Amino acid sequence: MASKISVLAFLPLALATLNKPVIQPNFPGGGLASLGQGLLDNLKPTQSTSDVWGAGWIPADCKSLVQGAGFSPSDVIPFNIHYTDCSQTWTFCRHKDSPLSQTDIIDLFGRVPVRMRDFIRHYVFVPGNKSAGSSGDNTLMVGDVDITVFIHEIGHSLDSHAFDASYGVPFSNSNVWISNYNQDSAVTDSYAQSSQQENFAQETVVSVYDKNVPGGIGNIQPNWQAIFHQYATLEGYIGDTIIPGGTCVNRLTDSQPVTMSNSAKLRRALGPKPTVSLSPDVKEIKPIPMADSIKMTSFDEHGNPNGTYVIQL
Ligand SMILES: *[C@@H]1O[C@H](CO)[C@@H](O)[C@H](O)[C@H]1NC(C)=O
Ligand SMILES: *[C@@H]1O[C@H](CO)[C@@H](O)[C@H](O)[C@H]1NC(C)=O
């Protein structure tokens, strides 16, 4: 199948729509990738087992993301992860040439607190220059993205689902968020300036670090007061969601299995159709539909955002 990439305009970071300056001093390297090591040192992996899907089948959302990124679904291996802290599996999709191995993916995602993992449907991993984007609670990960990118992208789903809806959805547009943002003098980095949604996702990385690394964000940001109301509001309103422990309570139903190939010849090699259903132990989260395009953020050699591009789905 021909590549569906139609718009691949690489743009520098969008004009700032938020008017607060970037925190001084900047985070080391200019952004939040510097939080990665502390997170890896303090968030422990979760035990798990995994298995692969029946031959020839792929979750529908994986298929559209993979094709949108210009790859063949037949080169993708969907796999289930059964973490010991959740009765419900996660199904992720990995292109055979992704620099992140299946073991890397299971390890990194398993370090994320389970009550945050709850809000992710499918992750899709493909090779390419480091970038990531999120749509419909699915995330497309390109290249060897690090743990701060996993947390940033989950931050977008938390913004839509993890707060009492009476504040407004997304939380990053709520009066609570905006009034606290207004009390601060800065944002984390130039990427946070692009919108309140990106700002919130960046503050999610700060909050997870602050709550889980001894010493908190003051370890690496002496001027933490300049962003305090933002990350403290996130921490206060989201509660134990960003703390490890417990079990999964809410989950999104996986997208339906579809065939990787539309060719009748290949279909004859199909394995048994995987069943997709939610464990009775978890409460279903109402999913957000996938949009018809996905805005991707690209990262520089330090792992900090340096541009955006759009993939049509
Ligand atoms: C990665 O980026 C380099 C330089 O920016 C570019 O030449 C190359 O085509 C990109 N590769 C892919 C797979 O997009
Ligand atoms: C971002 O950084 C990467 C890695 O250094 C580079 O390949 C890419 O061209 C940069 N993108 C932009 C939009 O500057």
Side-chain angles (χ1 to χ4, degrees):
M1 160 167 281
S3 161
K4 286 172 69 185
I5 297 192
S6 51
V7 181
L8 257 191
F10 287 84
L11 305 167
L13 282 177
L15 284 180
T17 60
L18 269 48
N19 59 8
K20 289 191 196 296
V22 173
I23 195 166
Q24 296 297 331
N26 288 172
F27 279 91
L32 301 183
S34 53
L35 277 52
Q37 194 57 52
L39 289 166
L40 288 177
D41 291 344
N42 290 281
L43 294 172
K44 301 291 170 233
T46 303
Q47 282 195 345
S48 65
T49 58
S50 64
D51 46 67
V52 294
W53 263 33
W57 295 97
I58 185 170
D61 288 357
C62 287
K63 186 173 181 177
S64 55
L65 287 166
V66 163
Q67 288 182 327
F71 295 98
S72 165
S74 305
D75 288 331
V76 169
I77 302 155
F79 61 100
N80 296 319
I81 315 175
H82 315 273
Y83 288 110
T84 51
D85 55 13
C86 187
S87 58
Q88 176 74 34
T89 59
W90 277 267
T91 304
F92 288 173
C93 298
R94 178 183 173 272
H95 187 279
K96 63 181 179 49
D97 298 328
S98 162
L100 288 177
S101 69
Q102 187 171 311
T103 306
D104 295 334
I105 293 164
I106 293 172
D107 175 273
L108 285 167
F109 191 60
R111 290 172 188 268
V112 175
V114 65
R115 290 171 289 222
M116 287 181 75
R117 270 183 269 140
D118 273 2
F119 296 95
I120 285 296
R121 178 185 259 164
H122 303 293
Y123 267 160
V124 176
F125 297 85
V126 299
N129 291 327
K130 210 187 284 191
S131 47
S134 171
S135 179
D137 304 305
N138 299 305
T139 295
L140 176 63
M141 303 278 207
V142 183
D144 62 339
V145 293
D146 66 70
I147 186 130
T148 62
V149 175
F150 279 60
I151 294 173
H152 172 101
E153 298 301 336
I154 298 173
H156 288 301
S157 284
L158 297 179
D159 194 12
S160 302
H161 299 294
F163 297 86
D164 191 315
S166 64
Y167 299 119
V169 179
F171 186 72
S172 57
N173 285 342
S174 70
N175 290 335
V176 175
W177 180 256
I178 302 293
S179 60
N180 278 283
Y181 162 81
N182 283 336
Q183 291 183 63
D184 280 343
S185 59
V187 294
T188 53
D189 59 355
S190 56
Y191 189 48
Q193 291 175 320
S194 56
S195 68
Q196 279 298 357
Q197 285 64 55
E198 298 303 341
N199 182 37
F200 176 90
Q202 289 295 64
E203 289 291 349
T204 305
V205 183
V206 172
S207 296
V208 173
Y209 183 102
D210 188 58
K211 282 295 204 181
N212 293 291
V213 179
I217 199 65
N219 290 342
I220 30 183
Q221 181 46 265
N223 189 23
W224 51 270
Q225 291 96 333
I227 55 170
F228 173 76
H229 290 90
Q230 294 165 86
Y231 71 78
T233 298
L234 202 160
E235 291 171 2
Y237 280 79
I238 211 163
D240 66 9
T241 302
I242 60 171
I243 310 292
T247 57
C248 59
V249 279
N250 308 294
R251 285 295 303 278
L252 295 132
T253 300
D254 288 333
S255 60
Q256 287 302 309
V258 294
T259 56
M260 287 180 176
S261 164
N262 299 330
S263 127
K265 188 167 139 242
L266 288 172
R267 269 199 224 184
R268 266 183 276 178
L270 278 184
K273 184 174 181 175
T275 50
V276 168
S277 62
L278 218 48
S279 153
D281 301 346
V282 297
K283 198 168 112 223
E284 184 170 17
I285 303 171
K286 196 174 181 314
I288 292 185
M290 287 251 284
D292 54 10
S293 67
I294 179 165
K295 185 171 151 201
M296 302 291 293
T297 301
S298 58
F299 301 94
D300 66 16
E301 60 279 18
H302 306 294
N304 293 318
N306 70 344
T308 61
Y309 62 98
V310 173
I311 286 179
Q312 302 300 324
L313 300 176

